Amino acid sequence: HRDLIALSGLPPHELLFLLDEAEQWVDFNRGAAKHANALAGLTIINAFFENSTRTLLSFEIAGKRLGADVVNMHAAQSSVKKGETLIDTALTLNAMRADAIVIRHAASGAVGLIAGKVDCPVLNAGDGSHEHPTQGLLDALTIRHWLRIKGREEFNGLRVTICGDVLHSRVARSNIAALTALGAQVRVCAPPALMPAQIEALGAEPFADFDAALDCAEVVMMLRLQQERMQGQFIPSPREYRHLYGLTLKRLARAEPDALVMHPGPMNRGVEIDSQVADLAGRSAITRQVELGVAIRMACLEVLTRRQRGVAGWS
Ligand code: CP
């Protein structure tokens, strides 16, 4: 079987394959059907060792809409609290014969470690500052839908600006991996203490000045300050942060006139993004991202469990 741990290293044809597979579930989620039986009889365990609203619920909805039995393990109510190790927890889930395990963990690399210990596909729902592959895919799907409305099919040359706490952002890493592989030009802007040292090696162009990074941007993706991962980095106060790095209506005017506004959530309104921008009709894709997240997670669960169901696997 294959796992989905990271988008880094996936070739463009595999990224596009997953986006194409998700298309069938976009209208399905909006229509009357809302239930298929492709995964009937399969057991999916969502093991979340970190808080989540969007990712946990959309994986649960995705599995249920495909007919699977979905079980959620919340670490706070589990034997992890009694000192059980991550690997022992993984072996316990494996012994219950799950057909797929979806894991979120605070430590970078933890999900890949578990993938090596269990017999079923593992899907990374976010591991520390490493990757959040289904978020990167749902963001790419959101951008592709917007491009198609404009009559464009290709990501080639698309100017994307990502701004915020890039250092701690698994969302930024997955997006940079997917969007650069698909041919987009990715700029990143962050306070100096929150800019990774090797950002150019990931294929992104670093900017210290948000106004400069926004010039002619076609897509603007804002990131939350991840206070829970800070280790003494100097960051401006919320008021200073908004002044320097916040997406205000005035600042958005520096981007292309119809630039798409994105945020993976959860948002800190009035810090990295003003409500006037977050709720800007026709420009903000934030709720659309959440909607397409269900379709992407349905596609990932369906594709990765093909082997269990005797269907030709993800090649
Ligand atoms: N975007 C995202 O991962 O949100 P949650 O933390 O609510 O899952």
Side-chain angles (χ1 to χ4, degrees), residues 48 51-56 104 125 132 135 170-171 264-266 297:
F48 276 58
N51 292 345
S52 171
T53 298
R54 282 148 283 268
T55 313
L56 175 59
R104 168 169 287 193
H132 191 350
Q135 179 74 45
R170 52 200 181 202
V171 175
R297 285 159 185 140

Side-chain angles (χ1 to χ4, degrees), residues 200-280:
E200 283 114 327
L202 299 179
E205 186 184 358
F207 283 75
D209 179 55
F210 190 24
D211 289 322
L214 279 173
D215 259 342
C216 303
E218 295 170 279
V219 176
V220 184
M221 188 180 297
M222 301 306 296
L223 303 172
R224 179 176 69 89
L225 283 173
Q226 301 197 27
Q227 303 284 0
E228 70 274 27
R229 297 190 215 288
M230 298 284 176
Q231 291 174 326
Q233 288 92 354
F234 174 77
I235 51 162
S237 68
R239 188 204 286 241
E240 286 169 327
Y241 189 88
R242 176 179 177 273
H243 179 66
L244 291 168
Y245 304 104
L247 190 60
T248 59
L249 269 182
K250 187 170 169 218
R251 204 166 243 145
L252 181 61
R254 299 191 74 96
E256 288 290 299
D258 63 345
L260 191 70
V261 174
M262 302 177 73
H263 193 305
M267 287 184 274
N268 288 315
R269 287 173 181 264
V271 183
E272 76 268 10
I273 189 165
D274 276 11
S275 281
Q276 286 170 306
V277 181
D279 303 330
L280 196 58

